[in-house]
């Protein structure tokens, strides 16, 4: 893979034009959000945070004796600086969190990832660099890692901890203190290459990941051994490549969904605004890559859909059929994730956000879809079935009775029988991504716990939630409530002690 050619080919965040100008409505966005927040306390999940956090949680119920370890979480924490507010939820500076469970007690620690961007802007007292959805550009920059917010996932891997972002390198943190160590380069020739926030780790410890620069028509592909060394690296040509946030891995394939966006060449736009929905002209595409050759095996057509998150994939029929579970959104869902920054609620339309099972017949070139759950997002499987056949899918959903889009229900779906084991939180609660944590020597995909975080906007507090994965509808076996609110995170992973 030719790194220089790859980086120059894409639009990427580092290719945005330097205008020396902050959009005039960055201050208006700040004012509108705070006016809305004064009327609507549930908007606190999108409020700004300053400083570090550390505290003990009060446990209601009982933490299972076997559940010992750290739930690492990451998401945007700083949205505002110098009286300005970002336009997009994805723009905020990364805030790493560790929920530590030991002997039935829960402690919490949170601190900002001290990226180059975060330190420069903290010293200046104002935003300096372009973000995904905000075209502020007051200072020049060298490469993608100059803009790296490290705000999307927290990955324990090979006895290290990495804060991940979409468009640049992994940022290494100290797993004990969450202190920032610095940019991690997997191999010298891969410096500053995009390394997505959704790597997949197979049961043998192999890590697969990709990197994309919208407008570059290339996907970078990586296979990294359990020892942290690069085993394969390459790139595939994908015409009209747009935002790629996640993918799925089976025993033999990598599966991507390319949504129908055109990429504008207007240098005054943010990277998000460069994405122009073209769903009226064409549909989405599923791109299947063979793992052994890192070459495209098949491309399938879909209706115009947007995909953020995948659950899992597996192969059958000697590798000639691949099944993949994911969430598909009808229409331009990228815009919907920006309106909340001004305090606007998105209407709840569950039928537009569905978990789906997609069957890909590589020999016949046919695709078939089965609907699993409406109003869904953040699908996860047990770690021991990644790239293998799975029978359970954990995910969040928005109850159909909600008038605005909010994820307030946790589910474990039996994808073979179509049954859903669900629990809805109380009014004013917002659920974050929940993950499945197996017991030692687990005998099934529900032999363990469903662990997550929820925000209680009634009291401005955050709660670690623990469910029996086989009995979600019975409610949480334990709630560990902090005396303060933590930033609303995107993704994380549980590291068993």
């Amino acid at each position: 893979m030719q790194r220089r050619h790859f980086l120059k080919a894409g639009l990427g965040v580092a290719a945005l034009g330097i205008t020396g100008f902050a959009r005039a409505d960055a201050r208006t966005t700040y004012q509108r959000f705070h006016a809305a927040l004064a009327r609507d306390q549930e908007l606190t999940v999108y409020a700004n945070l300053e400083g570090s956090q550390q505290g003990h949680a009060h446990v209601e119920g009982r933490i299972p004796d076997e559940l010992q370890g750290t739930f690492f979480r990451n998401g945007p924490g700083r949205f505002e600086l110098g009286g300005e507010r970002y336009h997009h939820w994805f723009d905020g500076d990364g805030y790493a969190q560790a929920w530590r469970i030991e002997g039935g007690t829960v402690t919490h620690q949170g601190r900002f990832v001290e990226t180059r961007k975060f330190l420069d802007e903290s010293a200046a007292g104002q935003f300096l660099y372009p973000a995904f959805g905000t075209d502020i550009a007051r200072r020049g920059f060298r490469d993608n890692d100059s803009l790296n917010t490290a705000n999307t996932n927290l990955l324990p891997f090979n006895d290290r901890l990495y804060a991940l972002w979409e468009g640049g390198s992994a940022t290494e943190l100290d797993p004990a203190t969450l202190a920032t160590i610095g940019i991690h380069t997997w191999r010298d020739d891969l410096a500053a290459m995009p390394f997505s926030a959704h790597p997949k780790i197979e049961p043998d410890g192999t890590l697969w990941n990709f990197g994309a620069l919208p407008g570059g028509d290339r996907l970078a592909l990586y296979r990294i051994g359990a020892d942290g060394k690069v085993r394969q690296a390459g790139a595939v040509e994908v015409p009209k490549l747009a935002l790629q946030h996640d993918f799925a891995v089976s025993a033999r394939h990598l599966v991507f969904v390319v949504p129908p966006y055109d990429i504008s060449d207007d240098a005054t736009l943010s990277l998000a605004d460069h994405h122009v929905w073209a769903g009226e002209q064409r549909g989405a595409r599923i791109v299947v890559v063979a793992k052994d050759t890192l070459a495209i095996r098949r491309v399938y057509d879909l209706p115009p859909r947007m995909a953020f998150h995948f659950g899992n994939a597996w192969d059958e029929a000697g590798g000639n059929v691949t099944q993949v579970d994911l969430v598909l959104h009808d229409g331009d869902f990228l815009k919907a994730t920006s309106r909340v920054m001004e305090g606007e609620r998105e209407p709840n339309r569950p039928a537009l956000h569905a978990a789906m099972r997609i069957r890909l017949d590589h020999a016949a070139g046919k695709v078939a879809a089965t609907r699993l759950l409406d109003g869904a997002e953040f699908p996860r499987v047990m770690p021991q079935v990644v790239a293998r056949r799975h029978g359970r899918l954990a995910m969040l959903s928005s109850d159909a009775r909600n008038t605005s889009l909010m994820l307030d229900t946790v589910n474990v779906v039996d994808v073979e029988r179509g049954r859903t084991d669900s629990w809805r939180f109380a009014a004013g609660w917002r659920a974050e991504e929940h993950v499945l944590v197996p017991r030692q020597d687990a005998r099934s995909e529900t032999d363990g716990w469903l662990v997550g975080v929820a925000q209680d906007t009634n009291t401005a507090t955050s709660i670690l939630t623990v469910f029996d994965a086989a009995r979600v509808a019975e409610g949480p076996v334990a709630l560990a409530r902090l005396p303060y609110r933590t930033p609303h995170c995107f993704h994380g992973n549980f590291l068993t002690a």
Side-chain angles (χ1 to χ4, degrees), residues 34 50 53 127-128 247 271 327 330 367 401 419:
H34 283 275
E50 295 182 6
Q53 295 177 323
F127 293 128
L128 301 174
F247 73 134
L271 180 56
V327 173
D330 286 12
V367 56
R401 291 168 287 184
R419 300 173 183 170

Side-chain angles (χ1 to χ4, degrees), residues 252-467:
R252 302 187 184 189
H253 301 101
L254 313 176
V255 183
F256 301 86
V257 170
V258 181
Y261 286 103
D262 289 330
I263 304 298
S264 168
D265 59 2
D266 185 343
T268 67
L269 299 176
S270 70
L271 180 56
D273 290 337
H274 271 86
H275 285 73
V276 180
W277 184 252
E280 294 77 14
Q281 290 79 43
R282 65 180 188 273
R285 289 165 289 154
I286 297 178
V287 177
V288 179
V289 176
K291 289 166 76 172
D292 56 352
T293 62
L294 297 188
I296 293 176
R297 180 175 182 181
R298 274 278 190 181
V299 177
Y300 300 84
D301 291 328
L302 284 179
R305 301 287 186 267
M306 174 71 192
F308 277 116
H309 298 119
F310 290 69
N312 192 41
W314 80 88
D315 298 315
E316 55 191 24
N320 287 317
V321 172
T322 301
Q323 303 268 14
V324 57
D325 288 352
L326 75 165
V327 173
L328 291 175
H329 302 275
D330 286 12
D332 184 8
F333 193 55
L334 187 61
K335 285 185 178 178
T337 55
S338 66
R339 297 188 185 103
V340 294
M341 297 306 287
E342 291 192 4
E344 292 184 19
R345 296 268 201 133
E346 185 70 16
N348 189 35
R349 293 169 287 187
L352 302 186
H353 317 287
M356 306 285 288
R357 167 156 293 181
I358 305 293
R359 185 180 189 273
L360 304 171
D361 186 330
H362 305 310
K366 294 182 179 180
V367 56
T370 303
R371 207 172 189 93
L372 299 175
L373 182 68
D374 283 355
E377 250 302 351
F378 298 106
R380 297 289 295 257
V381 295
M382 279 287 192
Q384 69 267 29
V385 297
V386 171
R388 303 176 181 180
R389 183 166 188 154
H390 66 274
R392 299 294 188 275
L393 194 65
M395 66 186 99
L396 305 182
S397 63
S398 180
D399 190 275
R401 291 168 287 184
N402 297 329
T403 58
S404 61
L405 179 58
M406 62 182 73
L407 297 172
D408 60 358
T409 305
V410 293
N411 312 272
V412 172
V413 180
D414 182 334
V415 293
E416 301 294 343
R417 297 176 178 85
R419 300 173 183 170
T420 302
D421 187 13
S422 304
W423 173 267
R424 186 189 186 195
F425 288 107
W429 286 50
R430 297 286 189 94
E432 297 183 14
E433 173 194 58
H434 280 53
V435 304
L436 289 162
V437 180
R439 285 185 174 88
Q440 188 175 11
D441 302 321
R443 297 182 179 181
S444 74
E445 293 174 58
T446 56
D447 190 5
W449 303 276
L450 183 65
V451 180
V453 173
Q455 305 283 343
D456 180 0
T457 63
N458 305 298
T459 59
T461 57
S462 298
I463 303 99
L464 180 80
T465 65
V466 180
F467 295 81

Side-chain angles (χ1 to χ4, degrees), residues 83-104:
E84 293 178 323
R85 181 174 172 85
Y86 281 137
H87 298 302
H88 205 286
W89 190 19
F90 298 173
D91 292 351
D93 292 287
Y95 194 80
Q97 300 184 45
W99 296 79
R100 305 186 193 276
I101 304 174
E102 183 178 4

